[in-house]
Amino acid sequence: MIVADSTQKLIEAVEKADSAEGLLDAVEALSAARDEAAIPTLIEVLRFNNPGAAVAAVEGLIDLQEVAVPHLLQQIDDYNYGARAWAIRALAGIGDPAALDILLKAASTDFSLSVRRAAARGLGNIRWLLLDSQKAFLAQSEVLDTLLLVCQDGEWVVRYAAVVGLESLANTFADSRFDLMDKILQQCQEMLQGDPELVVRARIKMALEQL
Amino acid sequence: MEELDPHIEGNGNSLTVEEAIANLQQKEDLGQRYYAAWWLGRFRVNSPEAIEALLEALEDEEDRAPDGGYPLRRNAARALGKLGERRAVPPLMRCLQFPDFYVREAAAQALEMLGDKSCIPALRCLLAGGVAAATQVPGKPHLVQPYEAVIEALGTLGAKGAIEEIEPFLEHSFPKVQYAAARAMYQLTGNGVYGEILVRALGGEELHLRRSALIDLGAIGYLPAAEAIAETLAENSLKLISLKGLLESSLEGNCNETLTLLPESKNILKLMDSLL
């Protein structure tokens, strides 16, 4: 890949940063360049255990949209769950159906609650128009089934994310999937009565007000 | 920062309640006793047998750390804090006078969780001498008393009589002690000046102090902090926990049947959505 000099300098600045604050500034600058050549470096930053820089890198990756997806899928970190959570968050923000399989698996099976949380939210954010309608139809049912399962997660924040996922999924349907809408509303009503956490019930209430 | 994923703890779920209590009562395997004490707290086992075994562990002399500390007592105190049994209050109050700093700290935290005001005088005793006496123990990372835990407990327990003793700790040289004092002062007075001290701490240089301020703001549910919490340079997991505390405080007095969301609650929920 040919890397523009200006981007190369920004990449070097990230590599050379010697303080948390310096790293944050360098990552913000690299993200703002919106250059495909920055992608591997931005993904590397997700491993640094610097939450400020990771937020900036995720935003940069989301801004780059689909071109970042193959890199993210390839470089997903099986060992470092912090890095994996940030990568899933980037995929969730982009909404490319190419990430569907990994999001479905992460939301229901990852051992890290941050990963499950990010994935559950991402499942509501898939851009269905990028799939042909028949594939989308099948995938939507699968996404709904997974989100309904994730609504039983032991961690409140994952259930919260599943509710947000269900709400955005419902919004992407417009008027096309009454069958799935029924299931979503039913699930919300059940959790509004039964979820032990006030914050989850409050989020459901807000979802129901606008669904 | 480690997440509180139970799966990381290995096969914690595979013990039965009976096994855990038996493990705690035997005297041969100290590691198993220590683990069982934690386990009973983690899985909220508050049967009379479990409480009895933990109270006994609170008097243990066998399990000694190289520094002379009492690891099993620490874990037993922490577990008792989670089990909501008032019977544990007097023994935990006695622990506040124990030589092991970490036993005193665990006891103060447990007494905070149990919410029984009868321990307030015993907690206040540990503040004797004020800031001047609150110096670091030579060669140790901690102060002579567990001031953070004691001050936080007094705030949670509504110990208004202790306001004058707590306030000077806003000027202590340890930032976390300052935050504990700000947190307690806010709880005891409702004055936003103290909430704002914690909001400023969110912009501090060190990540561990920003984390600490996030936890404190969540614990006191200081609503004006919502945006600042969302923008803090820290893990989203921690910011979400902090905002959950604010949300709950914004809904105080709201019963489930008629859950009504005011704009400030919705604002907090939207901030939480942005952090998922």
Side-chain angles (χ1 to χ4, degrees):
Chain A
M1 192 191 304
I2 298 165
V3 181
D5 281 354
S6 55
T7 304
Q8 189 55 43
K9 279 199 181 116
L10 294 170
I11 290 173
E12 282 165 18
V14 170
E15 286 163 352
K16 285 182 191 154
D18 54 6
S19 68
E21 212 173 316
L23 181 67
L24 174 59
D25 291 343
V27 173
E28 280 178 347
L30 181 60
S31 287
R34 287 214 196 188
D35 187 334
E36 200 181 332
I39 292 172
T41 309
L42 291 175
I43 295 177
E44 194 54 37
V45 169
L46 306 180
R47 296 186 227 275
F48 288 177
N49 193 24
N50 177 323
V55 168
V58 166
E59 279 171 11
L61 289 163
I62 293 175
D63 285 343
L64 283 160
Q65 292 290 311
E66 282 82 6
V67 292
V69 172
H71 295 267
L72 282 162
L73 293 177
Q74 229 169 45
Q75 291 185 48
I76 205 110
D77 196 318
D78 289 332
Y79 299 101
N80 178 336
Y81 63 75
R84 195 161 71 246
W86 290 115
I88 292 286
R89 201 170 137 74
L91 289 169
I94 296 168
D96 187 333
L100 251 178
D101 285 344
I102 197 162
L103 291 177
L104 286 165
K105 189 159 168 269
S108 52
T109 65
D110 202 286
F111 85 88
S112 159
L113 65 90
S114 308
V115 175
R116 300 201 299 280
R117 178 190 84 211
R121 177 217 158 221
L123 286 174
N125 203 31
I126 300 294
R127 290 149 65 196
W128 296 111
L129 293 174
L130 298 176
L131 279 183
D132 73 59
S133 58
Q134 204 177 353
K135 275 191 180 159
F137 191 86
L138 291 172
Q140 285 167 351
S141 303
E142 201 181 348
V143 164
L144 177 60
D145 288 344
T146 298
L147 283 174
L148 293 177
L149 187 73
V150 178
C151 283
Q152 315 296 324
D153 198 285
E155 298 289 344
W156 69 267
V157 78
V158 180
R159 299 197 301 279
Y160 183 105
V163 171
V164 173
L166 285 175
E167 181 192 55
S168 5
L169 183 67
N171 287 331
T172 61
F173 290 158
D175 291 331
S176 60
R177 299 292 308 259
F178 290 113
D179 54 330
L180 302 190
M181 277 302 287
D182 268 355
K183 285 191 183 174
I184 291 175
L185 290 171
Q186 197 189 336
Q187 177 70 28
C188 286
Q189 290 296 349
E190 273 172 31
M191 286 174 83
L192 187 59
Q193 300 307 317
D195 197 281
E197 285 287 348
L198 179 58
V199 67
V200 175
R201 298 197 300 274
R203 187 62 188 83
I204 291 165
K205 180 86 179 181
M206 189 161 88
L208 285 171
E209 281 178 10
Q210 63 107 15
L211 282 180
Chain B
M1 166 161 201
E2 288 297 313
E3 288 182 11
L4 293 173
D5 264 328
H7 301 79
I8 297 176
E9 307 291 346
N11 58 354
N13 286 300
S14 67
L15 275 181
T16 66
V17 170
E18 292 73 24
E19 282 167 352
I21 292 172
N23 285 353
L24 183 55
Q25 285 170 329
Q26 53 86 33
K27 313 273 173 187
E28 284 77 39
D29 185 336
L30 296 178
Q32 279 200 2
R33 299 187 78 192
Y34 183 78
Y35 183 75
W38 171 83
W39 192 92
L40 291 170
R42 170 66 181 80
F43 294 102
R44 302 288 192 277
V45 183
N46 59 357
S47 66
E49 296 78 22
I51 301 286
E52 206 51 57
L54 285 167
L55 287 173
E56 210 170 298
L58 213 48
E59 315 281 325
D60 174 74
E61 289 290 345
E62 305 293 321
D63 191 359
R64 299 295 297 271
D67 67 352
Y70 290 74
L72 179 62
R73 292 195 188 203
R74 300 170 190 169
N75 258 10
R78 290 180 195 121
L80 285 164
K82 293 179 183 149
L83 300 182
E85 171 59 59
R86 291 278 163 98
R87 202 149 52 98
V89 171
L92 285 169
M93 277 164 58
R94 286 197 292 279
C95 287
L96 292 176
Q97 297 301 324
F98 198 67
D100 180 352
F101 172 90
Y102 296 104
V103 170
R104 298 200 299 280
E105 180 179 64
Q109 287 164 341
L111 288 164
E112 174 180 14
M113 285 194 260
L114 291 174
D116 188 322
K117 285 174 180 254
S118 66
C119 66
I120 288 175
L123 287 166
R124 285 172 71 174
C125 280
L126 300 198
L127 300 185
V131 176
T135 54
Q136 194 163 349
V137 177
K140 300 272 183 183
H142 56 72
L143 301 167
V144 291
Q145 293 292 357
Y147 292 98
E148 258 181 87
V150 170
I151 292 170
E152 286 176 8
L154 288 168
T156 301
L157 294 169
K160 289 200 168 40
I163 286 177
E164 281 178 27
E165 289 147 53
I166 293 171
E167 204 199 356
F169 283 91
L170 291 166
E171 308 294 329
H172 192 276
S173 60
F174 277 31
K176 286 192 180 184
V177 175
Q178 295 168 18
Y179 303 170
R183 162 176 168 166
M185 289 300 287
Y186 179 77
Q187 287 170 314
L188 297 173
T189 66
N191 187 337
V193 170
Y194 304 111
E196 291 303 320
I197 293 175
L198 294 169
V199 172
R200 281 197 295 282
L202 295 177
E205 289 279 304
E206 291 183 69
L207 178 57
H208 77 105
L209 293 177
R210 297 196 295 271
R211 285 174 178 153
S212 195
L214 282 172
I215 292 168
D216 289 333
L217 284 163
I220 62 174
Y222 182 61
L223 299 182
E227 266 81 15
I229 289 170
E231 283 161 23
T232 300
L233 298 176
E235 295 81 354
N236 288 3
S237 312
L238 214 46
K239 296 197 259 184
L240 285 161
I241 291 171
S242 183
L243 287 170
K244 174 176 185 268
L246 267 60
L247 189 273
E248 285 165 356
S249 141
S250 81
L251 291 175
E252 236 154 61
N254 203 319
C255 69
N256 187 26
E257 310 304 321
T258 58
L259 190 58
T260 19
L261 300 176
L262 296 172
E264 57 186 1
S265 301
K266 288 187 184 175
N267 181 40
I268 296 167
L269 291 169
K270 283 174 193 154
L271 290 169
M272 292 180 71
D273 288 3
S274 74
L275 296 168
L276 293 174

